[in-house]
Every structure is written in C-alpha cells, then in structure tokens.
Amino acid sequence: MTDPVRGDVDEVPDGPEYDLDFRDDPGRYRSTSDERGVFKIEPYKSELLPLWVISDRESAAEAADAIHERYRAYRDAEDFVGMDMARKYLQMGWTRAMRYAKYPGGQKYETGEDGERVERDPQEWYDEEKREIARIYRDHLDRVRDDPEYERLKAAHRERYGD
C-alpha cells in the first residue's frame, strides 16, 4: 500500500494534518485509487470537507454538485492534486452512502461471540435514501473518472514527480 505523501512529512501536533501545503508543493503528493489523505491533505481538506454531506438526499445532491464544481475549478487551474482530492471526496460520498444503504447504522462489522471482529451480512437495501445518495455521488465520480483532462493531468503528475 502506498502512502498519499512522498517522503517524510511532519504531522501537525494537534491534528492529523500534514505540516505541508500541497498546493505549494504538489510533488509531495502521491495519487492513490482509494480515499487515503482526505482528512490530511491541505489546503484541499479545508476546501472540500465542509462541502461533503450524506445526511439527506437534497443536501447530498447539493454537496456532490459543489464538490464537482470545485473539481472543475481545479481542472481549469491544472491543479491535479485538487482534482484528485475532489475525486476522493466524491468516491467517499459513494462508499459511505453505500455502507449506510446496506448496513443498519452504517456498521459493516460487529463483534462476534468470541470477541473477534466479524463482517455483518448486508441487507438489500436497508436504507433507500442512502442508496439514492450513493447513486448521486457515483454519477459525479464516474464523470470525473471519464474526464480525459483528469487522466492527462494524472499522467503528467506521475511523469513529473514519479509514482
């Protein structure tokens, strides 16, 4: 598993954020296909996290639109790190909403009789509203993944900074 940060970067003592502005130093950022870094990579965390919502359908639709709009602004600025972080927030909206759609309370695991962590059986579909929210985020995520500019800037980032 790769770290979303290249090299050693100190963390802020009172929080999980890295002591680094990734907009000023994009070469320290490593793209990962998962959601690692969403709560650490600044200034993008501070720009995107306040927009991210999965509580109800209307708010989630507005949030997904706002995050996608931020993605387009990063794309216009050719800011791949911002684009990738926006992609991660859309992906997180999809995965978290799906977890709540399938599992009561969003709890995928429970403690078994022997004290071991055991995956619960998903319920088809436990929460229909969360399933709709997941679809909203997935639609935006698919548009980002299909964006040729995302792929072009991702390749340029890897070529310039390595993988």
Side-chain angles (χ1 to χ4, degrees):
M1 191 180 316
T2 61
D3 187 24
V5 178
R6 295 175 200 283
D8 292 328
V9 179
D10 293 332
E11 293 191 8
V12 177
D14 61 347
E17 295 81 14
Y18 294 115
D19 190 18
L20 178 68
D21 182 327
F22 286 84
R23 183 171 285 131
D24 290 341
D25 199 354
R28 301 300 294 273
Y29 179 76
R30 177 175 310 208
S31 177
T32 61
S33 62
D34 55 18
E35 299 152 19
R36 274 178 285 152
V38 294
F39 301 119
K40 292 185 174 190
I41 305 295
E42 289 288 7
Y44 307 101
K45 181 200 95 166
S46 293
E47 296 169 357
L48 296 166
L49 182 59
L51 304 174
W52 187 85
V53 175
I54 63 168
S55 57
D56 63 80
R57 189 184 190 291
E58 184 178 333
S59 298
E62 291 173 8
D65 287 341
I67 293 168
H68 199 169
E69 183 58 38
R70 188 64 61 113
Y71 166 85
R72 288 189 285 270
Y74 295 140
R75 183 184 62 199
D76 291 346
E78 295 198 354
D79 179 352
F80 172 72
V81 179
M83 292 168 66
D84 200 46
M85 292 303 296
R87 188 252 326 147
K88 289 179 182 232
Y89 274 90
L90 293 171
Q91 185 171 320
M92 186 169 67
W94 169 54
T95 60
R96 297 306 186 279
M98 281 299 287
R99 181 176 293 167
Y100 279 91
K102 290 182 174 185
Y103 302 97
Q107 299 297 313
K108 186 174 181 179
Y109 298 94
E110 61 188 356
T111 304
E113 291 179 21
D114 59 359
E116 292 292 316
R117 186 174 152 179
V118 179
E119 187 171 341
R120 297 167 83 177
D121 290 328
Q123 298 178 13
E124 283 294 318
W125 295 100
Y126 171 75
D127 186 330
E128 283 293 333
E129 183 179 34
K130 291 295 191 262
R131 184 176 182 206
E132 286 300 315
I133 291 168
R135 286 179 178 159
I136 290 166
Y137 273 100
R138 181 63 191 258
D139 177 59
H140 286 278
L141 176 60
D142 287 345
R143 286 190 270 161
V144 166
R145 287 178 172 164
D146 292 341
D147 182 2
E149 275 300 286
Y150 175 81
E151 288 302 320
R152 182 184 74 77
L153 291 171
K154 181 178 180 179
H157 184 83
R158 285 188 170 159
E159 183 176 314
R160 182 171 183 185
Y161 302 113
D163 189 41

